[in-house]
């Protein structure tokens, strides 16, 4: 992933030195288990750890060897032998390359998931803080982009909090599902290596043994992992799109923080653009783009092929690094979001009370009007106001059909904003618990 959208802690998981360190640990832990089983000398296992535990692997040297061998794991083992010496002949006994590659990948994905879970927690904290800050800040709810009925800005943020809470649960589940280890040898039969070696390596690496592998760990696990990242990316985009709409000049109910010295346009000095939320929209597209290749990796030939390998070398780092960056950007965006309650109220009142039309409809039906007639009476008084002609409440009070059922006081009663907000506490209780 390009440095512009990378954070160091996540990027380091995917660095070559980290990968080779994990490969070594897998091999060394396997050697320990083999030594305990009497397959290799115990002193050999101790030497492997002593010689290479603190080694810095020469990435350039490994690449040089691979250019000749055309095999990355053999290149690594050759370099490891240069470090360890004669006892290196006891490394990788009974194992196949996928034992190392797949187990390593799952270690990396689990570590990445831990960082992503922490990222989601930061988003949740920011959303919760701002939601309670604006719990009762009235604003207009929109359907199809058109004014519907009143909500609060706190509810908008509570919606997002509930969504990212689900995202966290899915991410925890995806981490658990992908955190498996396979040290089962060629075609996964354990013919050349004892299953107890796998159990030992799994425990040492913070994984669980794969119940049954072929020569690779089944890729449905990875497909679910990347699909989960894709869903989280879509949640990011949903909130980012809401912020983009709210920052439009004609709306301006909220906007991204604009720092001292920041410039919005190279041509127009007055511009304050929603660049962060637009950036998040683009990053979400990228993360979702990695999902389809992960799904297509599930169908491999027989016990294994490597059509998945090139895909995972790219989507593993790129998807996790991109999502890590996006979640942290979103947390900061929400935390510093500028909110304009006065503009929210101005927009809420823009249609002169039409947002209370459903209350009038219900009131008329409760007084005996058919739903069809009630709808007709309310709509024919609403349409002139929609066109900027007259006041909704005044027109209703002059309508003889409406007045058959409702007095002036009863009409006025339907324009009470508080009616729409009476269950905000209940909704917050559902989302945040007894806070």
């Amino acid at each position: 992933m390009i440095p512009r959208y990378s954070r160091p802690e996540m990027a380091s998981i995917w660095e070559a030195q980290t990968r080779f360190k994990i490969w070594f640990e897998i091999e060394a832990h396997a050697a320990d288990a083999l030594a305990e089983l009497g397959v290799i000398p115990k002193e050999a296992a101790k030497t492997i750890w002593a010689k290479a535990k603190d080694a810095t692997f020469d990435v350039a040297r490994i690449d040089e060897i691979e250019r000749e061998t055309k095999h990355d794991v053999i290149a690594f083992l050759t370099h490891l032998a240069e470090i360890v010496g004669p006892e290196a002949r006891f490394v990788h006994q009974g194992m196949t390359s996928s034992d190392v590659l797949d187990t390593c990948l799952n270690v990396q994905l689990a570590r990445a998931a831990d960082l992503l879970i922490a990222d989601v927690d930061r988003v949740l904290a920011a959303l919760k803080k701002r939601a309670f800050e604006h719990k009762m800040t009235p604003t207009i709810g929109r359907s199809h982009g058109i004014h519907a009925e009143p909500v609060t800005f706190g509810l908008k943020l509570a919606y997002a909090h509930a969504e990212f809470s689900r995202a966290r649960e899915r991410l925890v589940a995806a981490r658990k599902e992908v955190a498996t280890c396979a040290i089962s040898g060629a075609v996964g039969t354990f013919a050349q290596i004892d299953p107890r070696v796998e159990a030992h390596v799994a425990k040492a690496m913070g994984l669980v043994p794969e119940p049954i592998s072929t020569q690779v760990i089944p890729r449905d696990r990875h497909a679910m992992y990347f699909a989960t990242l894709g869903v989280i990316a879509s949640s990011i985009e949903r909130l980012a799109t809401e912020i983009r709409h709210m920052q439009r000049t004609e709306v301006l109910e909220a906007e991204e923080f604009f720092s001292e010295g920041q410039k919005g346009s190279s041509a127009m000095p007055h511009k304050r653009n929603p660049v962060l939320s637009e950036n998040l929209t683009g990053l979400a597209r990228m993360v979702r783009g990695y999902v389809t290749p992960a799904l297509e990796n599930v169908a491999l030939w027989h016990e294994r092929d490597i059509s998945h390998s090139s895909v995972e070398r790219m989507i593993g780092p790129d998807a996790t690094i991109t999502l890590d960056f996006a979640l942290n950007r979103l947390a900061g965006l929400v935390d510093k979001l500028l909110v304009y309650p006065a503009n929210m109220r101005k927009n809420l009142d823009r249609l002169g009370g039409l947002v209370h039309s459903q209350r009038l409809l219900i009131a008329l039906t409760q007084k005996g009007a058919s739903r069809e007639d009630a709808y007709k009476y309310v709509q024919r008084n609403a349409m002139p106001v929609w066109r900027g002609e007259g006041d909704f409440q005044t027109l209703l009070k002059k309508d003889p059909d409406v007045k058959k059922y409702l007095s002036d006081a009863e009409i006025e009663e339907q324009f009470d904003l508080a009616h729409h907000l009476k269950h905000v506490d209940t909704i917050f209780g559902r989302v945040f618990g007894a806070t």
Side-chain angles (χ1 to χ4, degrees):
M1 192 62 202
I2 63 173
R4 184 181 184 91
Y5 301 126
S6 302
R7 285 161 40 86
E9 192 173 4
M10 181 65 83
S12 69
I13 291 174
W14 301 101
E15 290 173 353
Q17 192 64 226
T18 303
R19 181 172 72 255
F20 294 138
K21 177 71 172 175
I22 296 171
W23 287 10
F24 165 72
E25 290 174 359
I26 293 167
E27 296 282 6
H29 286 306
D32 283 342
L34 289 167
E36 286 298 317
L37 293 171
V39 177
I40 69 172
K42 289 186 177 181
E43 285 304 313
K46 291 179 181 178
T47 299
I48 292 166
W49 276 108
K51 291 287 185 70
K53 181 180 180 181
D54 298 318
T56 298
F57 297 102
D58 189 336
V59 177
R61 172 61 179 149
I62 295 171
D63 289 343
E64 178 188 4
I65 298 169
E66 186 179 355
R67 281 192 290 273
E68 178 183 347
T69 63
K70 305 296 189 294
H71 196 292
D72 54 353
V73 176
I74 291 175
F76 168 75
L77 293 173
T78 302
H79 176 55
L80 182 61
E82 294 172 343
I83 297 172
V84 172
E87 286 81 1
R89 69 186 187 277
F90 296 112
V91 172
H92 204 69
Q93 291 211 354
M95 295 170 62
T96 187
S97 298
S98 293
D99 291 337
V100 179
L101 295 170
D102 282 10
T103 300
C104 173
L105 175 62
N106 286 2
V107 168
Q108 291 172 301
L109 291 175
R111 291 178 183 177
D114 289 337
L115 294 182
L116 293 172
I117 290 167
D119 294 341
V120 172
D121 285 339
R122 282 189 282 274
V123 172
L124 288 169
L127 287 168
K128 182 176 181 179
K129 183 184 77 170
R130 301 308 302 273
F132 275 91
E133 181 184 343
H134 292 284
K135 179 179 178 181
M136 299 305 294
T137 301
T139 189
I140 186 62
R142 298 173 174 90
S143 57
H144 306 278
I146 308 301
H147 284 206
E149 291 192 350
V151 296
T152 73
F153 187 58
L155 284 176
K156 285 179 176 282
L157 297 174
Y159 304 153
H161 189 281
E163 187 168 348
F164 279 98
S165 294
R166 295 190 295 274
R168 190 187 194 282
E169 292 173 1
R170 294 186 188 112
L171 195 50
V172 169
R175 185 207 187 280
K176 180 179 180 181
E177 184 169 357
V178 84
T180 64
C181 165
I183 307 292
S184 53
V187 300
T189 61
F190 296 101
Q192 314 302 332
I193 193 164
D194 194 293
R196 287 173 289 181
V197 176
E198 180 184 74
H200 177 83
V201 175
K203 184 177 180 180
M205 301 302 294
L207 306 173
V208 297
E210 180 64 44
I212 178 170
S213 57
T214 54
Q215 192 162 316
V216 294
I217 290 174
R219 256 47 193 183
D220 62 293
R221 295 183 181 276
H222 304 78
M224 181 55 70
Y225 184 97
F226 288 102
T228 297
L229 302 193
V231 173
I232 295 171
S234 291
S235 295
I236 291 173
E237 184 175 7
R238 188 171 96 91
L239 182 53
T241 299
E242 180 71 13
I243 293 170
R244 290 170 63 191
H245 281 307
M246 297 181 79
Q247 188 162 336
R248 289 165 51 217
T249 305
E250 296 82 0
V251 179
L252 201 57
E253 294 174 350
E255 68 172 336
E256 297 175 5
F257 177 76
F258 199 81
S259 62
E260 185 72 26
Q262 183 174 341
K263 304 291 188 291
S265 166
S266 63
M268 297 165 283
H270 73 279
K271 294 295 291 297
R272 289 164 65 117
N273 301 329
V275 292
L276 299 179
S277 48
E278 289 177 344
N279 171 256
L280 289 172
T281 298
L283 295 177
R285 293 170 184 168
M286 292 303 300
V287 176
R288 282 197 303 274
Y290 302 127
V291 176
T292 296
L295 293 170
E296 293 174 343
N297 277 353
V298 175
L300 302 178
W301 284 20
H302 304 300
E303 278 60 53
R304 76 162 292 201
D305 64 47
I306 62 165
S307 60
H308 64 289
S309 176
S310 57
V311 173
E312 289 168 353
R313 289 173 194 266
M314 287 186 275
I315 70 173
D318 280 10
T320 55
I321 289 172
T322 304
L323 189 61
D324 171 62
F325 181 89
L327 285 167
N328 278 274
R329 170 155 284 184
L330 181 64
L333 172 56
V334 172
D335 188 60
K336 293 184 176 182
L337 188 69
L338 303 176
V339 181
Y340 302 122
N343 283 351
M344 291 179 178
R345 188 56 188 256
K346 178 182 176 183
N347 288 335
L348 180 60
D349 295 335
R350 185 174 178 179
L351 291 183
L354 291 187
V355 295
H356 301 289
S357 69
Q358 184 178 190
R359 288 207 70 200
L360 271 302
L361 171 64
I362 293 171
L364 285 166
T365 59
Q366 289 176 342
K367 286 299 187 79
S370 70
R371 194 179 191 283
E372 291 73 18
D373 285 343
Y375 196 103
K376 179 174 64 176
Y377 302 155
V378 176
Q379 187 181 44
R380 76 186 181 198
N381 286 287
M383 290 303 99
V385 181
W386 182 273
R387 296 190 295 268
E389 303 165 3
D391 173 75
F392 189 39
Q393 192 173 135
T394 301
L395 291 173
L396 288 166
K397 289 177 179 179
K398 291 180 179 179
D399 189 309
D401 290 320
V402 173
K403 294 303 296 289
K404 289 178 186 177
Y405 300 98
L406 299 175
S407 66
D408 286 356
E410 288 171 328
I411 291 172
E412 292 171 6
E413 184 182 340
Q414 311 314 312
F415 286 78
D416 179 16
L417 178 62
H419 175 85
H420 295 273
L421 312 184
K422 62 185 179 182
H423 293 304
V424 170
D425 282 333
T426 298
I427 299 171
F428 264 61
R430 291 179 174 183
V431 174
F432 300 106
T435 301

